[in-house]
Amino acid sequence: MAYQAEYIWIDGTEPTPLLRSKTKILADGKTPPVWGFDGSSTNQAPGDKSDCMLKPVFTCPDPIRGRDNILVLCEVDNARDGKPHPTNTRAACVRASKKYAQHEMIFGIEQEYTLLKLDGTPLGFPDGGFPAPQGPYYCGVGAGRVVARELIEEHTQACIDAGLMIEGTNAEVMPGQWEFQIGAADALTVSDHLTVARWLLHRIAEDFNIVVSLAAKPQKGDWNGAGAHTNFSTKAMRNDTNMKAIKAACEAIGKKVDLHIKNYGHDIESRLTGAHETAPYNRFSYGVSNRGASIRIPWQVELAGKGYAEDRRPNANVDPYVVTRLIIETVCGAAER
C-alpha cells in the first residue's frame, strides 16, 4: 500500500527562515528519495535557476496522518552541483560535530513560543486591553491563567508518537506563552528533533486557527520575551569535579560575545535588556542560579562540581543548527588550544 511522506525543510526567508513542507506519495517499501522544489518561491533561488534539491536526513512516524506515513526532514542542496545551499545551516553543523567529536558534546534546548490570535495579539489578552500583570501564569493552572492547553497536550503527544526527544512542557510567564524542551542529545539530533517539533506545533495550531510565533519580543512592554535557552555539556564538563571545565567553557564563550549575539536570532536586542530574567545583549556574565546572567550554572552543578551550563541568550527564533555549532566551535576550540 502506498504511503505519504511529508518532506520538511527550512527556507530562505529573512530575517527569520520559515518551515516549508510538501507531500510525496511513495510505494510501500520505497525509501524516501532525493526530491526537488521551486526555490524561487521560498527565497532560495532566482526564477531562471529555480530548482533546489531536498536531501532526506531524518525520518520519523507522522503522528498526524498515522498508519505508515512519515515525516522527512531534509537539507537543501544546490540542484546543479549537489553542494549545500547557502541556507543549509545543518551542513556546517555536521562538519563541526565531526571535527570536535572527541569532546562528546550534548545539548538540550528549551523552546519558548507565543500563541497569537489571527489579529496578532497574544492568546489570553482581552480585546483591546491587557490581562493582569505577570505572576500567576508561569506553570499555572486554571481558567484565566492558562490558555490553549488542549493544543499543547495534542502537540506533546504528537512529539511522543513521532519518537522525538521531548522532555517536558510548561506554561510560561506571559499569557499565551508556552515552552517545550528537547534533548539531551548531540547537536544534530537535538536540532533535527527540535525542527520537526516546531513543524508539528505550527501544523497542529492550524487546526485551532491559532498562530505560533517565535518572535523574540512578541508583546512590547512589561512582558517577558521568548527564548530558546540552550543547555550544553562536554565530556570534560560532565566528568570534572572542580567546575574547571565549566568555567573554562563560560570564559571561552565570553570572549566571543558579538559573534554569538549576532547569530542567536532576530531582534535579540529587544529581548536581552537586563530585565525580565535576561542579561543585557552587549554584556557577558555567568553565575550560579542567576537567571539574569548570560550563562546560568544550575545550583546542582555547583554542588556536584560537574555537569552542564545554560546559555540563556538565544532567542526563540534561533536556528538550532547555528547555536549548537557556535557553542561547539567556541567551547571545544578553546579546549584544544
Side-chain angles (χ1 to χ4, degrees):
M1 179 181 293
Y3 70 96
Q4 297 181 73
E6 190 71 15
Y7 279 59
I8 300 167
W9 73 97
I10 299 171
D11 78 358
T13 300
E14 294 180 346
T16 301
L18 302 174
L19 288 170
R20 307 277 184 147
S21 71
K22 64 175 183 171
T23 308
K24 190 172 187 64
I25 313 300
L26 296 171
D28 184 32
K30 184 175 181 180
T31 300
V34 169
W35 203 14
F37 69 95
D38 172 18
S40 68
S41 296
T42 63
N43 303 300
Q44 289 170 295
D48 60 343
K49 298 176 182 177
S50 63
D51 288 327
C52 291
M53 188 164 62
L54 293 173
K55 181 177 70 178
V57 293
F58 170 70
T59 64
C60 65
D62 184 339
I64 297 175
R65 289 174 171 146
R67 298 183 62 178
D68 296 324
N69 302 302
I70 62 172
L71 304 178
V72 183
L73 181 64
C74 301
E75 285 189 16
V76 176
D77 289 343
N78 295 315
R80 291 177 179 269
D81 58 15
K83 295 181 179 179
H85 189 273
T87 61
N88 179 355
T89 56
R90 188 181 187 276
C93 188
V94 170
R95 292 193 295 271
S97 296
K98 289 181 178 178
K99 180 177 180 180
Y100 296 106
Q102 69 272 22
H103 295 274
E104 297 180 19
M105 201 157 202
I106 58 175
F107 297 87
I109 299 179
E110 305 168 25
Q111 176 69 71
E112 295 178 344
Y113 57 93
T114 308
L115 302 176
L116 306 177
K117 305 172 189 175
L118 294 182
D119 66 4
T121 59
L123 214 62
F125 277 51
D127 294 338
F130 296 91
Q134 295 182 157
Y137 311 113
Y138 172 71
C139 294
V141 62
R145 292 185 289 275
V146 173
V147 294
R149 192 181 292 277
E150 184 180 1
L151 188 163
I152 275 64
E153 293 289 339
E154 189 169 329
H155 172 253
T156 302
Q157 190 59 53
C159 289
I160 293 171
D161 292 344
L164 303 181
M165 297 181 70
I166 187 166
E167 292 292 315
T169 66
N170 59 269
E172 266 302 332
V173 178
M174 188 181 79
Q177 206 169 65
W178 287 82
E179 174 187 302
F180 65 88
Q181 304 93 36
I182 295 288
D186 63 90
L188 292 172
T189 299
V190 79
S191 299
D192 289 347
H193 285 219
L194 180 65
T195 302
V196 173
R198 283 176 171 179
W199 183 89
L200 283 169
L201 182 61
H202 285 290
R203 170 61 188 84
I204 292 169
E206 282 182 24
D207 297 338
F208 290 84
N209 214 28
I210 291 173
V211 176
V212 176
S213 171
L214 300 184
K217 191 75 171 180
Q219 182 62 47
K220 305 304 180 186
D222 193 20
W223 304 97
N224 274 35
H229 303 157
T230 302
N231 301 281
F232 62 93
S233 175
T234 62
K235 181 169 64 173
M237 291 169 65
R238 295 188 295 274
N239 291 336
D240 279 356
T241 57
N242 58 7
M243 295 274 288
K244 182 179 178 181
I246 293 173
K247 290 179 179 179
C250 293
E251 295 287 348
I253 293 174
K255 293 177 181 177
K256 295 190 175 182
V257 173
D258 291 344
L259 174 65
H260 285 245
I261 289 297
K262 182 181 178 180
N263 291 281
Y264 274 10
H266 173 63
D267 196 30
I268 198 166
E269 294 86 358
S270 71
R271 175 176 151 263
L272 298 185
T273 62
H276 304 108
E277 301 179 296
T278 69
Y281 71 91
N282 56 356
R283 293 205 298 270
F284 180 83
S285 61
Y286 66 92
V288 176
S289 291
N290 187 356
R291 282 178 164 77
S294 306
I295 296 180
R296 179 181 70 94
I297 300 171
W299 65 268
Q300 307 98 312
V301 172
E302 183 187 45
L303 191 64
K306 59 183 178 180
Y308 68 98
E310 173 196 39
D311 193 334
R312 296 181 55 79
R313 297 170 300 167
N315 278 348
N317 56 21
V318 74
D319 183 328
Y321 301 106
V322 171
V323 65
T324 54
R325 174 183 60 80
L326 282 173
I327 293 175
I328 287 172
E329 291 174 343
T330 299
V331 173
C332 299
E336 292 189 359
R337 292 192 189 99

